[in-house]
Amino acid sequence: MADEQHGLVFPSDDEGRRSTTAVGRAVVADALNAADPVGARAAERETAWRSEYVDYFRRLVEAGLGAPEDALGIARAGLDSLHGRMRVLGAGGEVPLAEWPTAAEETTGFEQVEVAGTADPVEELVLPYRGDRLRGDEIRRQVDRWVEAGVVEPSVAEAVGAVLDNPDWLRLEGHTVAVIGAASEMGPLQALTRWGARVAAVDLPKAGLWDRVAETASAGAGTVVAPVAGGTGETPGADLLADVPALAQWLGAQPGTLVVGNYVYADGATNVRVSTAVDELSRRLLSSRDDVALAFLATPTDVFGVPSDAVAQATERYETRSRTSKTLGRPLRAASGGRLLRRPYAPGSEPGINDSLVPQQGPNYALAKRLQRWRATVACHEGATVSMNVAPPTRTRSVVKNRALAAAYAGAHRFGVEVFDPSTSNVLMAALLVHDLHTGGGPRHEHPWQDEAYAAAHGGLWRTAYAPRSALGLAALLGMGAARG
């Protein structure tokens, strides 16, 4: 999506500049204010936000690990701050997000196109993995191997096992799943259509994108509907930055339980804008219907509270690392001022704090992804069904084009981290979505961090022998040749 200034935008200052840094810094400070006032003041005064933001995004998690009300308060304050600061730019000028007109005031809304699949539904879970197509007990054994290797949390086996035991769940009878970002590599469009689900596909009205969506829909066994403006002769799709009111009207009329799945991604500041647009769309639908569920994929390159058994496994791996690793690690840590190959957790931490933020991804990416976690926390507390699962590191196009991250992923296996192919991630995460929709969002826990940790497929970042960021540079160095290949 081009970073064109229209629709949902960052606020402009007196000189007409739209500062993402000013907004990001202020939102984080507002979110921290009640639970961590010292951190809030430090964020407000931070002069090197683009390089130091990682510390404050960690504090957002740390400050919420006490009482559940702390995490909920941070989420609510962060959402309120971002929604209060963003603006909508239209023909009449710039207005607050809260004043975005309703669809009835601004537009006649969307018409709809429909594509019916031509195949028979796939009635069992089939997981592509390294050239094979795993079924039944093969999937159980592979998930057990991932659990043993620390690649996924043990609860992934529980959730996937439930889907294998209930293959009729796959069709999602009685649901309409809105896949926002339908052409996304990490989205569930292909899996859902193969299983025979009903999907409302939303992406930009670009012929190339729609051709891919329509081809996937036709090859599947479900039904895909999409919004279209200006009559059925136009290319289907919608611009999230401008069309939220009309999309809320269109999606609000879809049959069955409505699942709003956020799979959008854009570069830079546009990522925050489209993520805020999906959040506003979700907020409107939650307020207008009582049967709306939300779905998100959390990035593994973030900060999470992790369970004590993950801390124990990572600690054991650190303490039992090879003599060669210990010999090489000491001078590296000394030369780097303690930044390289650090212990991942203080032994016995409960919960531990896994900090897998990648500074090169930038503060806008961090804010866009944290916004989704905040909405998941608030919506779950208010009784909505929420599917929010940590997705594994995956070789998507957006990763491969970032040379530093691509090199780090290529070398990650040397540190016990498995990077998944998109085909495996797609089906695995779609299966976890199906599980959540049939179990009320999965088991409810006392604290939001525990909800986030359930069925987390982090690729090993939570259970590796070293703090992830302290090994990232070496992983990139070791993987540089492979990444170039």
Side-chain angles (χ1 to χ4, degrees):
M1 179 175 290
D3 194 12
E4 180 187 349
Q5 294 304 313
H6 71 286
L8 190 61
V9 294
F10 284 85
S12 59
D13 61 18
D14 293 339
E15 298 179 6
R17 295 173 298 191
R18 302 185 188 276
S19 172
T20 61
T21 292
V23 170
R25 189 169 51 206
V27 169
V28 170
D30 288 344
L32 283 172
N33 192 49
D36 180 8
V38 173
R41 287 194 295 272
E44 287 173 339
R45 298 167 183 169
E46 180 58 65
T47 58
W49 185 249
R50 291 188 178 275
S51 59
E52 301 301 323
Y53 76 92
V54 291
D55 293 338
Y56 301 100
F57 277 85
R58 179 183 174 115
R59 292 186 82 141
L60 284 167
V61 174
E62 289 177 319
L65 290 179
E69 293 76 16
D70 292 335
L72 181 62
I74 288 169
R76 281 180 168 157
L79 290 171
D80 289 346
S81 180
L82 186 60
H83 278 258
R85 294 175 187 280
M86 297 299 280
R87 297 290 184 265
V88 178
L89 186 61
E94 191 173 302
V95 299
L97 177 55
E99 296 178 18
W100 205 345
T102 65
E105 293 169 335
E106 187 171 86
T107 179
T108 56
F110 287 110
E111 296 183 32
Q112 178 170 299
V113 295
E114 180 175 313
V115 179
T118 59
D120 293 328
V122 176
E123 296 180 339
E124 64 173 333
L125 183 60
V126 181
L127 181 67
Y129 186 63
R130 295 183 174 177
D132 291 329
R133 296 177 66 78
L134 309 182
R135 291 174 166 83
D137 287 343
E138 294 173 328
I139 296 177
R140 296 182 202 270
R141 288 192 291 269
Q142 180 55 54
V143 175
D144 287 344
R145 285 192 287 270
W146 282 333
V147 170
E148 184 178 358
V151 171
V152 303
E153 291 305 286
S155 44
V156 170
E158 173 186 316
V160 172
V163 176
L164 288 169
D165 291 339
N166 297 276
D168 56 304
W169 285 1
L170 295 173
R171 195 179 184 107
L172 287 176
E173 196 74 41
H175 293 75
T176 293
V177 183
V179 180
I180 315 296
S184 165
E185 273 191 280
M186 287 296 289
L189 178 68
Q190 186 174 68
L192 294 179
T193 55
R194 283 178 175 171
W195 297 334
R198 188 176 194 277
V199 174
V202 178
D203 214 312
L204 286 169
K206 293 184 176 179
L209 292 180
W210 172 244
D211 289 345
R212 295 203 325 253
V213 170
E215 183 179 348
T216 298
S218 181
T223 299
V224 173
V225 296
V228 60
T232 54
E234 299 296 323
T235 299
D239 179 359
L240 280 168
L241 296 180
D243 293 334
V244 163
L247 276 173
Q249 182 185 58
W250 178 70
L251 286 173
Q254 295 300 319
T257 297
L258 178 63
V259 184
V260 182
N262 185 344
Y263 305 100
V264 299
Y265 171 79
D267 291 331
T270 309
N271 203 18
V272 178
R273 294 167 63 200
V274 295
S275 293
T276 305
V278 179
D279 192 66
E280 174 64 11
L281 176 64
S282 302
R283 188 195 65 76
R284 291 184 180 212
L285 289 167
L286 284 166
S287 67
S288 65
R289 292 180 55 155
D290 60 5
D291 63 345
V292 173
L294 302 183
F296 307 92
L297 295 181
T299 176
T301 53
D302 204 337
V303 183
F304 295 94
V306 303
S308 57
D309 62 310
V311 173
Q313 185 175 25
T315 299
E316 180 184 11
R317 287 178 167 181
Y318 181 81
E319 293 177 347
T320 60
R321 66 200 188 280
S322 69
R323 179 175 296 180
T324 300
S325 295
K326 291 178 180 178
T327 300
L328 294 173
R330 292 188 189 102
L332 284 171
R333 281 195 300 278
S336 65
R339 290 190 297 274
L340 288 178
L341 300 182
R342 290 187 290 104
R343 178 188 288 274
Y345 309 103
S349 299
E350 188 175 3
I353 299 176
N354 177 267
D355 183 353
S356 295
L357 280 164
V358 177
Q360 291 86 345
Q361 290 183 299
N364 290 318
Y365 179 80
L367 181 58
K369 298 308 290 185
R370 194 61 60 90
L371 164 64
Q372 296 171 19
R373 289 171 62 185
W374 287 341
R375 180 57 66 190
T377 294
V378 171
C380 185
H381 177 78
E382 294 177 349
T385 295
V386 176
S387 175
M388 206 291 300
N389 296 302
V390 178
T394 303
R395 297 181 187 89
T396 60
R397 286 186 295 271
S398 63
V399 166
V400 171
K401 74 179 183 181
N402 183 319
R403 287 188 295 176
L405 197 53
Y409 274 17
H413 67 281
R414 297 176 182 267
F415 296 93
V417 176
E418 180 170 343
V419 179
F420 285 46
D421 289 330
S423 60
T424 303
S425 290
N426 289 157
V427 175
L428 177 62
M429 302 316 293
L432 294 178
L433 169 64
V434 164
H435 167 268
D436 293 345
L437 294 177
H438 284 285
T439 58
R444 294 295 177 97
H445 301 87
E446 181 182 354
H447 200 290
W449 79 258
Q450 296 168 308
D451 288 331
E452 292 184 336
Y454 181 80
H458 46 73
L461 289 167
W462 292 11
R463 292 171 179 256
T464 183
Y466 302 103
R469 200 157 59 248
S470 77
L472 179 67
L474 292 177
L477 186 64
L478 294 169
M480 200 168 293
R484 286 199 187 100

